[in-house]
Amino acid sequence: MKKRIAIVAGGDSSEYEVSLRSADGIYGFLDKSVYEPVIVCLHHGDWKAQLADGEWVVIDRNDFSYIDKGEKRVFDYAYITIHGTPGENGVLQGYFDLIGLPYSCCGVLAAAMTFNKYVCNHYASGFGVNIAPSVLLRKGDSISDDEVIEKIGLPCFIKSNVGGSSFGCTKVKTAAAIQPAIAAAFNEGDEVIIEAFMKGIEVTCGMYRTKNNTVVFPITEVVTKNEFFDYDAKYKGQVDEITPARISDNLRDAVQAQTKRIYSILGCRGIIRVDYILVPTIENDSEEKHIVDGHKIMLLEVNTTPGMTATSFIPQQVRAAGLEMGDVLRDIIEN
């Protein structure tokens, strides 16, 4: 009998539409001879499953079941592809833990930690991971332009601490732009990060681990003509995504090793993607500072429910590794 897989998408953040595109990608990747995938959309209390004929039916939140042709259907597994709350921050993971439904990604603690960029990066820094200087603001907090310039400097990035896809993110070059950027970031959530600008090569590296395998994918180099890797660059093609990245073998190996280390530090599960800036430096090579071939490896953020459309980073990296997405997903689901 085929396993029924809930591809859980939607969510309550600005990334709702992005999540639905990822769900379509996963639906296409899954082997229909082995699995019966069902897209489940969660949006502001409206939970529904899409039947084979396209009809949407209500999900019973008591056990995450639904009715099809008069019969109750339950799921064997949930593949979470919500980018944002409640699927990326540990809330949905806690619910699935309570009802005993296995799922694809990090557990409650790791999901909650990685969703909070400030907490995640500063936690990782305690293990020697390089991060940019940053300041956290919560709703009701304020900071003067002079304080930002003194503590962080210009240019800097001002972004939501709990958002994604660069919604509410601004590269700030002048003092006059600081307060409007803070206001824009607060529109995405109740916490805002002000982070120092890091000039260098932007790369991203995906991986997953099961009880049988640890697989680190080839690294992607991100090159955009925009001010930064913003929404238009991510989803409207205004970027060159080069896999494998044009970096030295030593630097490639170091980034992949750092990705495995971060995976272990955070206690991740399933597929993650870690974003970095490789900053040129004149410091001597140092294992402790993760400086390799004249570049310091700086953590940007950790994504525990990365995009899964056909053109997203992870499917690109899987193809570059000579693997098939369907096989990767099957390895995760079965192991």
Side-chain angles (χ1 to χ4, degrees):
M1 183 178 292
K2 296 180 184 178
K3 286 185 178 179
R4 186 173 293 116
I5 310 295
I7 304 173
V8 189
D12 303 334
S13 75
S14 298
E15 295 184 274
Y16 174 81
E17 295 294 340
V18 178
S19 172
L20 294 181
R21 293 202 292 272
S22 286
D24 288 339
I26 292 169
Y27 186 93
F29 293 137
L30 283 173
D31 184 349
K32 311 303 186 299
S33 68
V34 179
Y35 302 114
E36 179 190 342
V38 177
I39 292 178
V40 177
C41 183
L42 279 54
H43 189 54
H44 293 301
D46 183 20
W47 293 23
K48 54 191 179 183
Q50 188 174 37
L51 304 182
D53 61 6
E55 180 187 358
W56 290 92
V57 295
V58 173
I59 288 282
D60 183 344
R61 296 189 212 181
N62 291 300
D63 57 4
F64 209 64
S65 66
Y66 63 99
I67 302 298
D68 182 13
K69 298 181 177 63
E71 294 189 15
K72 179 177 178 175
R73 311 287 187 192
V74 295
F75 291 104
D76 299 296
Y77 190 88
Y79 199 103
I80 301 173
T81 188
I82 291 176
H83 311 312
T85 186
E88 197 171 5
N89 59 357
V91 173
L92 191 59
Q93 288 85 343
Y95 164 75
F96 285 148
D97 284 342
L98 284 172
I99 66 171
L101 182 64
Y103 53 88
S104 57
C105 58
C106 295
V108 174
L109 178 60
M113 188 182 300
T114 54
F115 186 65
N116 187 308
K117 300 177 183 71
Y118 186 88
V119 167
C120 179
N121 285 14
H122 283 265
Y123 179 79
S125 73
F127 292 84
V129 176
N130 297 317
I131 65 171
S134 61
V135 171
L136 176 68
L137 300 178
R138 292 193 171 93
K139 207 74 168 178
D141 292 344
S142 62
I143 189 170
S144 70
D145 300 342
D146 289 341
E147 285 180 282
V148 172
I149 294 169
E150 178 185 347
K151 293 179 179 179
I152 304 300
L154 294 177
C156 68
F157 280 101
I158 298 179
K159 58 188 179 181
S160 171
N161 190 37
V162 293
S165 293
S166 298
F167 286 110
C169 181
T170 307
K171 184 179 180 182
V172 174
K173 298 179 177 180
T174 65
I178 292 173
Q179 299 306 324
I182 291 173
F186 270 128
N187 285 335
E188 293 297 317
D190 290 341
E191 295 186 355
V192 167
I193 302 177
I194 304 173
E195 188 173 73
F197 171 66
M198 296 181 287
K199 184 175 178 61
I201 304 167
E202 183 167 354
V203 298
T204 186
C205 180
M207 70 163 288
Y208 75 94
R209 182 175 289 156
T210 66
K211 63 185 179 183
N212 298 322
N213 287 317
T214 295
V215 180
V216 185
F217 301 131
I219 298 164
T220 300
E221 180 183 350
V222 181
V223 182
T224 178
K225 295 178 181 178
N226 297 2
E227 280 289 344
F228 63 98
F229 191 41
D230 58 11
Y231 182 89
D232 288 341
K234 288 174 179 172
Y235 302 113
K236 297 184 179 180
Q238 298 173 14
V239 67
D240 291 324
E241 299 169 357
I242 302 164
T243 309
R246 300 169 299 180
I247 58 177
S248 70
D249 290 352
N250 286 339
L251 197 48
R252 175 203 63 205
D253 294 346
V255 169
Q256 291 180 322
Q258 183 73 311
T259 301
K260 285 195 291 186
R261 184 166 177 265
I262 289 171
Y263 195 104
S264 296
I265 287 169
L266 298 174
C268 294
R269 294 207 308 262
I271 297 176
I272 71 164
R273 200 191 77 232
V274 186
D275 302 338
Y276 304 92
I277 299 288
L278 309 180
V279 178
T281 179
I282 59 173
E283 295 182 58
N284 293 325
D285 283 5
S286 165
E287 187 175 335
E288 289 184 2
K289 293 184 178 179
H290 304 289
I291 298 172
V292 179
D293 288 352
H295 290 82
K296 181 179 282 190
I297 302 170
M298 305 290 293
L299 172 64
L300 267 181
E301 62 179 78
V302 180
N303 301 277
T304 57
T305 58
M308 294 292 283
T309 69
T311 58
S312 294
F313 288 125
I314 292 297
Q316 286 183 51
Q317 293 175 5
V318 168
R319 288 193 296 271
L323 303 172
E324 296 291 335
M325 272 304 308
D327 294 336
V328 169
L329 294 178
R330 185 171 183 172
D331 192 17
I332 291 169
I333 292 169
E334 299 300 330
N335 295 294

